[in-house]
Structures are given as structure tokens and as C-alpha cells.
Amino acid sequence: MVTGAPVKTKYEAIIGLETHCQLSTATKIFCNCSTEFGTEPNHNVCPVCMGMPGVLPVLNETVLEYAVKAGTALNCKISDYSKFDRKQYFYPDLPKNYQVSQYDLPIAEHGWLEIELIDERGNPVRKRIGITRLHMEEDAGKLVHGGSERLSGSTFSLVDYNRTGVPLAEIVSEPDIRSGQEAAEYAQELRRIMRYLGVCDGNMQEGSLRCDVNISVRPVGQEKFGTKIEIKNMNSFNAIGRAIDYEIERQIGVLKSGGTLHQETRLWEEGAQRTVSMRLKEGASDYRYFPEPDLTPIEIPDEQLAQWKAELPELPAQKRHRYESELGLSAYDTRILTDDRAVAEYFEATLAAGGSAKQAANWIMGDITGYLNSEKLEIGAIALTPQALAELIGLIEANTISSKMAKDLLPELLTQGGSPKALVEAKGLTQISDTGALEAIIDELLVAHPTELEQYRGGKTKLQGFFVGQLMKKTGGRADPKLANQLLVKKLQGE
Ligand SMILES: [Zn+2]
């Protein structure tokens, strides 16, 4: 190697995510306590989830079902033989002083999910992110800190055990992610899959989906990983992306200035848009795992496994591929339509009822989504059925009503429901697209406004707008706009 010449080192980031998904079962993982969020502190508790001596946990079968479905959807191998282990650590919100988790034999391993980013030209760029493992475990409780040393002279901490024993699936990715954008998309895709399966509501504000990021940087070409730093406390996809991009810059900056990175956990400060050190890590923690003696190992009968697999819905990535290849929709439209399973199913039901794909997509992504957002509603709450939307699209395509008229009818259809055809008839709204009828109306208009006609023919052509206005007024907005304009111009020019 030539010495003395300055070498410009390029760095790359190596990123992996650990995601905790709260499984949306009605009861906890090892007891019958409710998992309802937001109830009074220490209301949903019993001797089992409070970790009293002598109690026996029993695995909630729905937790196993949800974990297997999630693992299958993430293309994992479902283990023939799996077990629970005790992970020892002391924390005030963990009454047993250990957490029941899975260590060396998780329920699912070796999977992947596909993320899709859209490049500047609008084309999808797809990448597989490996899934190392998915395992089941119980959540810990929650500490609530109160008081103030400065104001009252005392501080206190309260503990709420409502969350202890709430079932979690922890999903660990391979370090395949290279940027904040890829990480945010990975987390979003994971959430989509969980929501499609109905196994986790993905509510980040309530903590139903929590992501921890491991990130290191290394010079491109170097095989050895750099110092791994963990970031916590990101409660939106946006924050995940920005925290990672910030951290990549920070770590490269430290290395370039000759500094050293330490293994540590950092917190994302949303307000200041930066990460700050929370605690240094000294080597790997020793949790002294050992097999949970009170729970039997898990072996799932083949028929049961086959049944759960058969119950999986078409997943978001499959839908995206199908909408693009079969329906010819753009990558952008496809992403929006498949983001939420209920919206995708509404769209598909509209097509099944005869609506054209492009029109149905435009209505759903445009006016209908606008209405849902402004009213804070889910698509299932609107009175307009997919069949009625298909009928409305049919009326436009048959030239019975204009798009403008359809838009005017929409608010009533969204809130009252019913048949667009019947509504059009009841309101006498049929579009006038008969050439003879329109010509007769235009003739009348020209006779009624001789001055304007003379001025138009004298060169003041912008008076066309005046005549269009009169025509729409006279027809109550029912004139087929395209045809009416053509005919009007012809007549105005005296043809
Ligand atoms: Zn309980």
C-alpha cells in the first residue's frame, strides 16, 4: 500500500431491527386476565401474571396460532419442537424476576420479508430482508414515575402490572438493512403483514408495535462489523428513518475525526431530532437462560399446522405484485391500495362488481380516502358499498352522468348509501349527451344573448366561458361537458 497519499474512506451502515409485536388476543399468554389497554392500573391481574409462588402458567393456544401464522407469513420455518425458557433479570416491573421467553428453540426461524421502495422514475425496487427468528414471550409491566425532587422534595415510582403477561412476538431481522428509509419500510411492511393476519393491531402510540434498532458502520470492503449501537424510543416510522440517518452520520463523523465508538444504548429525542446516550454496554448480558419447567414443550400436529397455513390471507406483497401485473396499476397506486387490508378488499369487491380498476383506484384513493381522513373513519364505516361504487363508475362510463355530477352525489352516497342509479333518477340528474337536444339549447342561448354573440364573433373569444356558464345554468349542470363544449364552439363560430 502506498503511504502518505490521503485515502478517502467510504462507509456503509449495517442495520438490524428487533420488533416487539403485541399479539391481539383477548387474554394474556399464560393466564385468563384481559389484555385490554387503558384499564385502571393493576386491574387486569391474577396470581399467575403477578408471579406468585406456586402458580402454574398455561399457554394460551391463540398465542401459538398467531405466532405460527406470523412466522409462516414471514416465510420462516416453523419448528417441529419448540420450548419456553426463563430469562433472568431483575426489574421492578417484572414480578417473577424472570421473563418467560424463548431462547435456543424459537417457534419460527430463517425467514424473510420483501420491502419495496419506489425510485425517482416511479418504478418499484424490491429487496428481501432476512428474518433471523420469531419467538413468543410475555411482556413486562409498566413503571409510572411521579413527584418532583425540586417541587415537593420527594419522588416516587408506581408499578402497574396490567401489561405483565401480555403476549408478544419478538421478530429479529438479519443485518440486511442499509439505510433509514429501508428500515422504516421494513417496519411498515412488518406492520402491514401483522395487520393483514389480524394478529397485531400495530398501534405504535399504544406500544403494540415497538422497534429497537441495532446499527454500526464500517468502511466499505471491511468484513468485520463496526461497534454496534442500539437505538430505542422511536414511536413512528418516520422517527425510525430519521433516527437511523442521524446515527449513521454521527458514527461516520466520530470515526472520521479519529474518535472511538462505544457499545451503548441511545435514545431518540424527537424534539431535538438527535440521539443521546442512555447507557454504556459492557459485554453481552448474561441472562442465565434455562428451560421453563412449568410449561410443556411445543409440538404442533401436522393437521393443525396445515390448517393455520391454509387460513392465511393473500399478503400485501402478493397483492402488490398482482395489482401491478394483472391490473396494470402503477407501483404508487398499488402501494396505497394494499396498505390496509380492508381498503384492498373494498377495491377488489368493487372490481368484482364490474368497476374498472383504474376508475375504482382513483375513487378510492381520491374522494373516498379524503372523506375517511376528514371524518377519521375506516373504510368499513361508510355506507357506500363496493357494488354501489361499481354502479357509479358504470354510470360515468356510460355517459349517463359526468364525473362532476358523480362527485356531487358522493357525499350523500357515502353517508346514506343506496343505489347511485336510483339516486340519479330520483334527482332527475341524467346527463344530457344527446347532440340534438344540446344543439337546441345552444341555439336558444345564442338568440337570447345577441350582444355577447356579436362580441365573440368580433374576436372576444374568451366570452366562450360566459356561454358555457349559461349552458350549465340552463341544464342544471347536466350537459355532457365535452360534447357541449364541442357543439358550442361550432355554433359560436357560426358553423
Ligand atoms: Zn393474570
Side-chain angles (χ1 to χ4, degrees), residues 232-391:
K232 285 182 180 285
N233 201 34
M234 294 152 296
N235 59 5
S236 74
F237 299 120
N238 224 331
I240 292 171
R242 281 179 288 115
I244 289 173
D245 288 340
Y246 173 90
E247 193 55 25
I248 293 173
E249 285 300 309
R250 189 191 71 82
Q251 292 184 18
I252 293 175
V254 170
L255 294 180
K256 277 188 171 166
S257 65
T260 313
L261 292 164
H262 302 282
Q263 221 188 70
E264 61 178 336
T265 300
R266 297 178 71 88
L267 281 183
W268 172 243
E269 285 189 347
E270 185 66 38
Q273 297 279 298
R274 63 171 184 196
T275 63
V276 290
S277 185
M278 186 169 102
R279 59 170 176 258
L280 285 177
K281 281 190 177 178
E282 285 160 20
S285 310
D286 180 6
Y287 292 116
R288 294 175 293 119
Y289 282 97
F290 68 81
E292 165 61 62
D294 291 338
L295 286 159
T296 49
I298 303 157
E299 285 174 282
I300 307 166
D302 289 345
E303 313 83 68
Q304 180 64 84
L305 206 55
Q307 190 199 325
W308 285 340
K309 282 184 180 177
E311 284 169 9
L312 292 194
E314 185 180 36
L315 294 164
Q318 295 167 309
K319 278 201 194 296
R320 287 198 296 267
H321 298 175
R322 188 164 64 81
Y323 287 8
E324 277 176 45
S325 63
E326 285 179 18
L327 304 174
L329 293 179
S330 72
Y332 177 81
D333 289 3
T334 293
R335 276 169 70 88
I336 296 190
L337 289 168
T338 57
D339 189 50
D340 183 278
R341 181 177 168 187
V343 172
E345 286 177 352
Y346 187 97
F347 170 69
E348 290 174 22
T350 307
L351 301 197
S356 69
K358 189 66 199 158
Q359 282 268 5
N362 287 345
W363 279 98
I364 293 169
M365 297 189 314
D367 292 71
I368 295 175
T369 298
Y371 175 79
L372 295 176
N373 290 343
S374 74
E375 301 295 313
K376 299 200 166 37
L377 290 174
E378 300 284 327
I379 200 154
I382 59 174
L384 177 75
T385 62
Q387 292 71 27
L389 177 59
E391 194 177 301

Side-chain angles (χ1 to χ4, degrees), residues 28 31-33 44-50:
K28 294 186 179 180
C31 63
N32 280 322
C33 292
N44 300 334
V45 292
C46 74
V48 174
C49 55
M50 299 267 285

